[in-house]
């Protein structure tokens, strides 16, 4: 077991602040990797030390493995936490960290590699007995019989990049006549985005809910921390998450929880991970879609209903400790909802709205948590993701949690930039969300929600 003393955080924004706080509570010094434009950011003010890793473009700073490892070595850290996004799921970076003699806060490079290839992950899930969505057997290239695979799956279907993630590289094909053209386009897009043209096919469910299971593993044992619903999405990007997933049949919930643990055990999983499923209510089925081998943006809702500090557990496991919890220790309490606040203008087609935050008031009161990377005076940079904060609420039941979230959104005051607060409020207050009739394509079917947001 290696007691961590100094930690390089290879990330920025709210997740950097989140990790710095957990590290400080554990007596671990934080060294924050920053680009030129982030040297005065709020997380930079919280960190014990900064390490400049390059200019503003992420490819030259947060996505530059050599600069990050050089900074880690120069600053004498003993571990690297990647946060989410950027290099968090790049197996080669995890391997380079280990070869530099440092501790990687996350699963093994082998597990990242396996789950990072979506077609390979489907095969691993099938081998572990996890229910998977009907689809092609492995990745498909130009020489494969795509039409035969599609005929077996049926239309509509999805074309997905094997190396994809974050909702990118996904195309819906509703008619056989469009298949080959979309297949060619998807392959070209996958090659451009991920350096790998391999794609695969899956059944498309028009009214699916996105349910995911949080797991923790120490390389020997794996436990789950129940489930989350992340069905409110815009262009495959999650906007609102909640835990536990509401109105889910008990037998399907148990099936997913058991399957997620089994998949984690099958690959000797270490650290925090998320196994994602689609819930097809019409067929009374759940199907594995992918596993994310990192901390999720929506991890706070799980923390709010279980009382487990997931970042602390990540750091404990990385230092060689066994799981701090047995499965029976994980008990659900109440209901939590998270909304992602982005610097975008909903009335202008969600155009990014970078600039200086001139005035900022976050909500308070019982059961309210704000994970943010900005304070009054902060500059929202145009170079990175537009999310500036996560507003998380907890209450004893879903109905009250929704009302608390609406109240908390009403208290948010931000001047200087546009945000998605009005849009989020409309969606939360919508009857479809209240009645748990929402699904991953709800926003595409409800242009009225966007019209309301523009008023």
């Amino acid at each position: 077991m290696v007691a961590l003393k100094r930690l390089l955080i290879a990330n920025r924004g709210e997740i950097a602040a989140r990790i710095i706080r957990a590290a400080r509570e554990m007596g671990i010094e934080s060294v924050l990797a920053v680009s030129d434009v982030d040297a005065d950011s709020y997380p930079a003010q919280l960190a014990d030390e900064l390490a400049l890793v390059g200019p503003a473009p992420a490819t030259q700073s947060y996505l530059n493995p050599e600069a990050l490892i050089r900074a880690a070595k120069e600053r004498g850290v003993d571990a690297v936490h990647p946060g989410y996004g950027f290099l968090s799921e790049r197996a080669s970076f995890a391997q380079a960290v280990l070869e530099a003699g440092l501790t990687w806060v996350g699963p093994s490079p082998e597990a990242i590699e396996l789950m990072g290839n979506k077609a390979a992950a489907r095969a691993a899930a099938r081998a572990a007995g996890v229910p998977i969505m009907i689809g092609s057997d492995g990745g498909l290239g130009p020489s494969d019989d795509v039409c035969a695979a599609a005929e077996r799956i049926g239309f509509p279907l999805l074309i997905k990049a094997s190396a994809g993630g974050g909702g990118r590289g996904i195309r819906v094909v509703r008619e056989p006549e469009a298949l080959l053209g979309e297949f060619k386009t998807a392959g070209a897009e996958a090659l451009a985005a991920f350096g790998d043209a391999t794609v695969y096919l899956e059944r498309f469910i028009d009214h699916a809910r996105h349910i995911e299971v949080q797991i923790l593993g120490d390389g020997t044992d794996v436990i789950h921390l129940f489930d989350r619903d992340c069905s409110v999405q815009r262009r495959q990007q999650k906007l609102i998450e909640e835990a536990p997933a509401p109105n889910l049949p008990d037998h399907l919930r148990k099936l997913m929880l058991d399957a997620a643990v089994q998949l984690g055990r099958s690959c000797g999983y270490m650290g925090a991970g998320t196994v994602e499923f689609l819930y097809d209510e019409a067929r009374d089925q759940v199907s594995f879609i992918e596993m994310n081998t990192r901390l999720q943006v929506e991890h706070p809702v799980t923390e709010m209903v279980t009382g487990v500090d997931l970042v602390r557990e990540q750091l404990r496991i990385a230092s060689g400790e066994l799981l701090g919890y047995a499965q029976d220790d994980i008990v659900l309490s109440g209901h939590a909802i998270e909304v992602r606040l982005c610097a975008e203008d909903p009335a202008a087609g969600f155009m990014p709205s970078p600039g200086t935050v001139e005035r900022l008031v976050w909500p308070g009161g019982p059961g309210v948590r704000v994970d943010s990377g900005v304070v009054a005076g902060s500059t929202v940079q145009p170079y990175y993701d537009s999310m500036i904060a996560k507003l998380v609420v907890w209450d004893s039941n879903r109905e009250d949690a929704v009302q608390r979230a609406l109240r908390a959104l009403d208290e948010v005051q931000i001047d200087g930039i546009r945000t998605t607060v009005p849009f989020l409020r409309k969606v939360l207050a919508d009857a479809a969300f209240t009645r748990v009739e929402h699904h991953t394509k709800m926003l595409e079917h409800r242009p009225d929600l966007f019209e309301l947001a523009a008023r």
Side-chain angles (χ1 to χ4, degrees):
M1 188 168 69
V2 180
L4 303 183
K5 297 178 180 176
R6 281 169 66 80
L7 177 70
L8 181 81
I9 300 164
N11 216 298
R12 63 180 305 279
E14 68 86 20
I15 194 58
R18 169 74 182 89
I19 298 167
I20 290 167
R21 287 175 169 134
R24 182 161 297 163
E25 290 175 4
M26 299 175 71
I28 302 171
E29 294 179 355
S30 58
V31 178
L32 180 62
V34 292
S35 69
D36 285 348
V37 295
D38 278 341
D40 295 323
S41 66
Y42 178 54
Q45 297 170 33
L46 293 177
D48 294 307
E49 201 172 314
L50 302 181
L52 190 64
V53 292
T59 53
Q60 300 176 47
S61 50
Y62 301 106
L63 286 170
N64 184 339
E66 293 78 16
L68 292 165
I69 291 175
R70 182 168 59 249
K73 298 288 284 184
E74 290 176 352
R75 299 291 172 166
V77 307
D78 41 36
V80 175
H81 195 310
Y84 53 70
F86 292 130
L87 298 177
S88 61
E89 291 184 286
R90 188 174 297 182
S92 60
F93 180 56
Q95 185 63 44
V97 168
L98 296 175
E99 290 175 356
L102 305 172
T103 296
W104 168 253
V105 183
S108 67
E110 292 77 15
I112 298 173
E113 182 78 30
L114 176 63
M115 293 300 157
N117 185 302
K118 308 308 179 188
R122 277 173 52 89
R126 182 191 291 115
V130 177
I132 63 172
M133 182 70 70
I134 182 172
S136 56
D137 296 324
L140 297 170
S143 61
D144 292 302
D145 191 342
V146 180
C147 293
E151 185 176 352
R152 181 174 60 83
I153 297 166
F155 290 87
L157 55 76
L158 289 171
I159 303 176
K160 303 174 78 171
S162 293
R168 294 184 297 166
I170 298 176
R171 303 182 76 84
V172 180
V173 183
R174 296 187 179 275
E175 304 292 340
E177 294 75 18
L179 176 64
L180 293 181
E182 293 286 10
F183 180 80
K184 183 177 180 181
T185 301
E189 289 178 351
L191 181 63
F194 308 110
D196 182 350
T198 307
V199 299
Y200 64 101
L201 309 183
E202 263 187 7
R203 170 187 285 162
F204 174 70
I205 303 171
D206 215 4
H207 290 75
R209 281 172 58 196
H210 181 120
I211 313 291
E212 58 189 32
V213 177
Q214 177 72 60
I215 65 168
L216 280 175
D218 59 13
T220 301
D221 196 12
V222 175
I223 63 171
H224 69 76
L225 292 92
F226 293 96
D227 44 82
R228 302 184 285 249
D229 184 311
C230 308
S231 301
V232 180
Q233 302 178 6
R234 177 176 174 269
R235 297 178 180 174
Q236 285 88 46
Q237 297 295 316
K238 301 166 188 170
L239 301 178
I240 299 173
E241 300 103 343
E242 58 184 314
N247 291 9
L248 194 64
D250 289 344
H251 70 283
L252 292 182
R253 192 188 308 275
K254 184 177 187 308
L255 176 64
M256 283 191 298
L257 298 178
D258 292 346
V261 169
Q262 184 57 34
L263 181 59
R265 286 178 176 159
S266 72
C267 59
Y269 199 80
M270 287 186 63
T274 300
V275 184
E276 301 191 341
F277 298 86
L278 283 183
Y279 168 39
D280 184 345
E281 184 176 6
R283 291 185 174 89
D284 193 37
Q285 291 179 346
V286 290
S287 305
F288 168 84
I289 47 175
E290 65 180 27
M291 179 177 182
N292 287 314
T293 53
R294 56 172 168 79
L295 193 68
Q296 293 281 91
V297 177
E298 55 270 29
H299 77 275
V301 291
T302 293
E303 295 183 325
M304 297 287 267
V305 296
T306 63
V308 177
D309 183 329
L310 289 171
V311 178
R312 179 186 296 172
E313 289 306 303
Q314 282 189 301
L315 294 170
R316 286 185 63 257
I317 293 167
S319 69
E321 296 186 41
L322 297 177
L323 281 171
Y325 299 86
Q327 187 63 68
D328 289 345
D329 296 330
I330 308 301
V331 179
L332 275 177
S333 174
H335 199 91
I337 295 176
E338 172 183 297
V339 295
R340 303 186 186 192
L341 276 58
C342 296
E344 298 174 359
D345 186 354
F350 292 85
M351 181 179 295
S353 180
T356 300
V357 179
E358 296 171 354
R359 177 172 171 268
L360 175 59
V361 179
W362 291 128
V368 177
R369 164 179 169 177
V370 178
D371 284 14
S372 176
V374 301
V375 293
S378 292
T379 299
V380 177
Q381 301 292 344
Y383 308 100
Y384 313 113
D385 186 273
S386 62
M387 190 179 75
I388 58 171
K390 302 180 308 199
L391 171 57
V392 192
V393 304
W394 177 94
D395 211 319
S396 58
N397 58 69
R398 185 176 190 267
E399 181 180 359
D400 289 343
V402 171
Q403 293 307 312
R404 178 161 285 170
L406 289 168
R407 185 271 293 171
L409 279 172
D410 284 344
E411 292 183 15
V412 175
Q413 299 178 44
I414 303 176
D415 293 339
I417 59 171
R418 299 282 189 180
T419 75
T420 52
V421 167
F423 174 71
L424 292 168
R425 199 186 190 293
K426 294 296 182 186
V427 177
L428 265 182
D430 189 78
F433 183 80
T434 303
R435 295 196 296 257
V436 198
E437 294 173 353
H438 58 293
H439 51 83
T440 57
K441 301 299 178 185
M442 180 181 81
L443 298 185
E444 294 177 17
H445 298 178
R446 293 286 307 280
D448 57 302
L449 289 171
F450 297 91
E451 293 167 4
L452 289 169
R455 291 178 181 172

